[in-house]
Amino acid sequence: MALVFAAVCGMCSLGVTHAEQLAARSSASTKNDLNYLMYTPDDYASSGSAYPLVVWLHGGDQGGSDIEKVKSSGIPKLVEDGKTFPFLVFSPQNPSEELLYPIEKVEAALDEVMSKYRVDRTRVYLVGFSRGGFGAWAMAEQFPEKFAAVVPIAGGGNRHYLSRTNEKAAFWVFHGTNDEVIPLSDSVVLYERLVGLKRNARLSVLEGVDHSGVEWAALNDPELWDWLLKQRLDVGPE
């Protein structure tokens, strides 16, 4: 047995001696082909002013390649129904019907939008529902310098990375007690972590409200929009 072990170890040693591990850099590029809706206020064309911008991340049912689906819920649905807002709304479509938002693509598209439109960069806000709520938490962690306020509605995420969020950003978390799709505890854990980090955070737990109901309860709350538009972030010189 000792001879066999020695022989095997000798072969292992021989293999390691001749193995190589080379450093390389990928030159592949990923095409950013996100579809999105862009809402501009009624007076945008006649005004030279910069406007606040809300990023809307939809839920799972609106993913894919048909941009019309995005109009069926959330802020785009409110716009379709005739509601007007005093801010720009950028609504990117998740290209997947099953996976989470590709947040790096969303961020790149957001940068493109911000270069094309007159955006008040101190007042960029992020609102997401369900799968979009997961995206909102992730973007707040990955791109903390971007958003003055983040509103995750019935979402979830990784609380361990919340320490990367901007200390100056504000958070308002919404969740319903009767949510059978995303557990209320997912939002509570993240909110409590924000509180532990001494972030500006608030949590609205809506009694008797289910998963789909909390989206509309949050978006139809006038206090949300009043609160949102008061949030500002010092982004420094462009």
Side-chain angles (χ1 to χ4, degrees):
M1 289 293 293
L3 290 175
V4 172
F5 178 76
V8 171
C9 286
M11 292 174 64
C12 292
S13 176
L14 184 63
V16 170
T17 301
H18 291 87
E20 288 188 282
Q21 186 168 232
L22 302 176
R25 177 174 294 180
S26 172
S27 60
S29 60
T30 302
K31 182 179 180 181
N32 193 349
D33 52 359
L34 285 184
N35 295 320
Y36 64 86
L37 298 173
M38 192 70 201
Y39 168 82
T40 56
D42 292 339
D43 61 350
Y44 178 82
S46 61
S47 170
S49 302
Y51 286 73
L53 170 66
V54 172
V55 179
W56 165 253
L57 303 182
H58 62 71
D61 291 342
Q62 288 78 55
S65 59
D66 181 2
I67 191 63
E68 293 299 312
K69 291 166 62 177
V70 179
K71 298 178 182 179
S72 66
S73 76
I75 299 177
K77 172 63 173 172
L78 296 177
V79 171
E80 286 296 294
D81 289 345
K83 188 173 180 61
T84 60
F85 293 102
F87 45 76
L88 301 161
V89 183
F90 165 59
S91 304
Q93 183 177 34
N94 185 348
S96 173
E97 296 180 347
E98 299 177 354
L99 303 177
L100 296 177
Y101 263 94
I103 61 171
E104 289 81 7
K105 286 189 175 184
V106 173
E107 195 261 348
L110 173 58
D111 282 345
E112 182 180 53
V113 164
M114 292 175 66
S115 70
K116 290 182 177 180
Y117 292 85
R118 298 190 307 275
V119 175
D120 181 348
R121 293 171 181 261
T122 71
R123 301 169 76 193
V124 178
Y125 311 118
L126 180 59
V127 184
F129 165 65
S130 191
R131 195 174 299 176
F134 279 81
W137 283 113
M139 291 193 74
E141 295 168 342
Q142 192 71 16
F143 311 110
E145 76 287 350
K146 278 263 190 319
F147 307 107
V150 183
V151 183
I153 305 169
N158 190 332
R159 68 185 180 90
H160 299 291
Y161 293 107
L162 287 175
S163 58
R164 298 194 70 255
T165 56
N166 196 313
E167 295 179 359
K168 304 299 183 182
F171 292 80
W172 192 346
V173 185
F174 288 84
H175 218 117
T177 59
N178 289 12
D179 194 328
E180 297 182 354
V181 179
I182 309 295
L184 169 61
S185 58
D186 281 18
S187 284
V188 172
V189 165
L190 292 162
Y191 165 74
E192 290 179 345
R193 174 62 172 156
L194 288 175
V195 172
L197 292 167
K198 302 188 184 310
R199 299 292 193 263
N200 177 3
R202 60 192 295 184
L203 171 66
S204 289
V205 176
L206 306 183
E207 291 293 334
V209 177
D210 62 11
H211 188 67
S212 60
V214 70
E215 176 184 20
W216 299 114
L219 296 182
N220 285 299
D221 184 349
E223 186 182 354
L224 169 63
W225 305 113
D226 291 342
W227 171 87
L228 196 68
L229 292 172
K230 292 176 183 176
Q231 310 307 318
R232 291 181 180 271
L233 197 64
D234 182 9
V235 297
E238 295 184 17

